[in-house]
Amino acid sequence: MRRNWVLAAGLLVLLYLFLPILVVAGLSFNEPKSRLSYDFHRFTLDNWANPCGPGDMCDAVGRSIQIGLLSTLIATLLGTLMAFALARHRFRGRSAINLLIFMPMATPEVVMGSSLLALFVAGGVSLGFWTVVIAHIMFCVSFVVVTVKARLAGLDPALEEAAMDLYASEWQTFRRITLPLVAPGIVSAALLSFSLSFDDFIITNFNSGTTVTFPMYVWGAAQRGIPPQVNVIGTAMFLLAVILVLGGEIISRRRRA
């Protein structure tokens, strides 16, 4: 035990982190006594068999997925280009831009959400689906830049120099050497952006208008009793994330082998 106390402490921390997820997964098989009861009453598979049973929940989930995919695509594209510019080039104002990149990450979400609301209202922009997308892109870009930039900082420039010494063009070097090496960082940034977008409530609540996302649906349902199908959606999203991470790790190990 003395030799493995670090491992034991790490396992306890992981158990603490995953305990809420295990509770959510268990409650996804629960048939509660009433809508306001969250105690485990009876095992059932009806929640998984009919995940879209309560009202417009699946519409809200689909809307969150649409917003997440759009914001992830645009934020990943913009953030990757910004990361390459900041990591590979020296220009006036570079230090200031590096500082500004961290501002959305350090700003409280209440401040950011209210500021965006004031901006949209002052500009006469109607609140709805696209204002939520714009807001999510704004705070996702920073996370993409930081993630991809960290990946670029760990690349060995000698690999690209060797490729060009072997008469590869700049485009060939980028496509065959740089992009495959940076791809894990880009994929990680995209997954992080989608998670942040799908999960966001505060900024979305300020700028959504009549658009209802999945977190807003859960918040509204909490006032009259959260349906157990919410736990099904949460468990399914977690399992999907685990499958993506494990799949990426398996592919990475096969390539190294």
Side-chain angles (χ1 to χ4, degrees):
M1 188 65 183
R2 291 179 180 177
R3 289 178 297 179
N4 299 319
W5 69 270
V6 175
L7 176 61
L11 292 176
L12 288 176
V13 172
L14 289 176
L15 178 62
Y16 172 75
L17 292 175
F18 283 96
L19 185 60
I21 299 175
L22 295 176
V23 172
V24 169
L27 291 177
S28 66
F29 298 97
N30 180 36
E31 183 181 347
K33 292 181 180 179
S34 64
R35 294 180 64 89
L36 299 177
S37 175
Y38 300 104
D39 297 330
F40 195 89
H41 175 59
R42 184 183 303 162
F43 180 86
T44 181
L45 295 175
D46 293 342
N47 301 328
W48 285 87
N50 188 22
C52 296
D56 300 330
M57 189 185 72
C58 281
D59 292 337
V61 173
R63 200 168 295 113
S64 289
I65 293 176
Q66 291 176 0
I67 294 173
L69 291 176
L70 280 173
S71 59
T72 296
L73 178 62
I74 299 174
T76 301
L77 178 61
L78 295 177
T80 301
L81 294 176
M82 292 176 64
F84 270 94
L86 293 171
R88 296 296 179 87
H89 300 281
R90 299 292 184 269
F91 52 89
R92 183 176 299 177
R94 178 173 174 268
S95 300
I97 293 176
N98 277 320
L99 178 62
L100 291 175
I101 288 297
F102 285 94
M103 292 299 292
M105 302 171 62
T107 304
E109 288 191 343
V110 173
V111 176
M112 189 182 303
S114 59
S115 300
L116 283 169
L117 174 62
L119 176 64
F120 290 138
V121 172
V125 180
S126 300
L127 300 179
F129 180 89
W130 291 108
T131 55
V132 175
V133 172
I134 293 172
H136 286 198
I137 292 172
M138 192 195 70
F139 67 77
C140 285
V141 165
S142 297
F143 290 93
V144 174
V145 172
V146 171
T147 305
V148 177
K149 188 181 174 185
R151 181 66 178 177
L152 286 170
L155 293 184
D156 187 0
L159 297 174
E160 295 173 310
E161 294 172 0
M164 300 192 74
D165 287 341
L166 294 173
Y167 303 102
S169 64
E170 292 184 356
W171 168 246
Q172 289 175 327
T173 302
F174 175 79
R175 184 169 62 89
R176 296 179 178 271
I177 304 298
T178 307
L179 186 59
L181 292 174
V182 182
I186 297 176
V187 173
S188 299
L191 292 175
L192 178 61
S193 297
F194 181 81
S195 299
L196 292 171
S197 175
F198 187 86
D199 187 57
D200 183 76
F201 170 75
I202 297 177
I203 297 176
T204 303
N205 192 36
F206 275 101
N207 301 280
S208 60
T210 58
T211 301
V212 179
T213 61
F214 180 62
M216 295 183 63
Y217 175 87
V218 175
W219 175 75
Q223 303 176 12
R224 56 186 183 274
I226 299 178
Q229 283 84 354
V230 169
N231 300 314
V232 174
I233 300 298
T235 305
M237 295 298 296
F238 174 74
L239 293 177
L240 178 61
V242 171
I243 292 172
L244 291 175
V245 172
L246 291 178
E249 184 65 20
I250 292 173
I251 293 174
S252 178
R253 290 189 176 184
R254 286 183 177 178
R255 287 180 176 177
R256 289 197 297 265

